[in-house]
Amino acid sequence: MDAFTTLTGIAAPLPMANVDTDKIIPARFLKTIARTGLGKSLFANLRYNEDGTENPDFVLNQEPYRRAEVLIAHENFGCGSSREHAPWALLDFGIRCVIAPDFADIFHNNSFKNGILPVRLPREVCDQLMEDARLGENARITIDLERQVVIRPNGEEIAFEIDPLRRHLLLNGLDDIGQTMQRAPAIDGFEARQRAAQPWLYR
């Protein structure tokens, strides 16, 4: 998992509440267990017309938001089913941070496990950031996880809170496997002691 330290990028405004995981990645795209290739299907029902052409009114089909790395939304982002494909699709598109007033619990947990930073900020602050984002290419937003601040294009810093353990894991790019591998010497030592004490179990 790629570490998340400081991100400065284009933010896409998505002024919608209750964006569920089926909206993020529709069920028809869940046949794969690969984490790559899902970006093209992100928000498919909103991004594409029935004939497969792009919907020009959807934000991610517009410049400069095709290259967005931050998504700003309203309440209850990621509600619905527990599909892990939702953060996979966001990440494959290029989104590393979602800012919203609150998140559905399972999506919130899945985001951290996949290297996406979900930032909770009050609704009025999210609305301010959306207005910043509507300025386009030159109105980039910075998310500094080390200092736990979002920096607006005008330089204003907005503090946010992240669980210390989750912050540590993101800063160091550690998913569940990465956490386990940090304990590899202890695991190897335990296995060596077990082999010495009960060799018949390893024959």
Side-chain angles (χ1 to χ4, degrees), residues 129-173:
L129 293 174
M130 285 190 197
E131 288 304 310
D132 290 341
R134 290 188 178 99
L135 298 175
E137 180 88 43
N138 296 322
R140 297 184 179 228
I141 292 173
T142 295
I143 297 92
D144 187 332
L145 180 56
E146 182 70 46
R147 296 173 54 226
Q148 295 186 145
V149 292
V150 173
I151 306 172
R152 297 179 64 191
N154 65 6
E156 179 188 357
E157 296 189 353
I158 303 165
F160 62 89
E161 295 292 329
I162 294 291
D163 174 81
L165 175 59
R166 285 175 163 164
R167 175 173 170 270
H168 167 78
L169 296 176
L170 271 182
L171 284 171
N172 292 278

Side-chain angles (χ1 to χ4, degrees), residues 12 14 50 67 72-73 105 108 133 149 165 168 181 183 189 191 199:
L14 187 69
E50 289 186 5
R67 293 171 280 116
I72 308 169
D105 285 344
H108 190 254
V149 292
L165 175 59
H168 167 78
M181 294 307 296
R183 302 287 182 179
E191 287 291 323

Side-chain angles (χ1 to χ4, degrees), residues 10 21 23 27 43 110 115-116 133-134 136 146 163 176 182 198:
I10 295 166
T21 52
K23 192 166 289 183
F43 294 115
N110 283 340
I116 294 176
R134 290 188 178 99
E146 182 70 46
D163 174 81
D176 290 344
Q182 283 195 315
Q198 299 175 306

Side-chain angles (χ1 to χ4, degrees), residues 11-42:
L14 187 69
M16 299 172 63
N18 303 311
V19 175
D20 62 33
T21 52
D22 189 61
K23 192 166 289 183
I24 297 170
I25 180 74
R28 63 185 181 275
F29 300 111
L30 304 186
K31 298 175 183 178
T32 179
I33 58 172
R35 299 188 183 198
T36 57
L38 291 171
K40 63 181 181 295
S41 303
L42 178 69

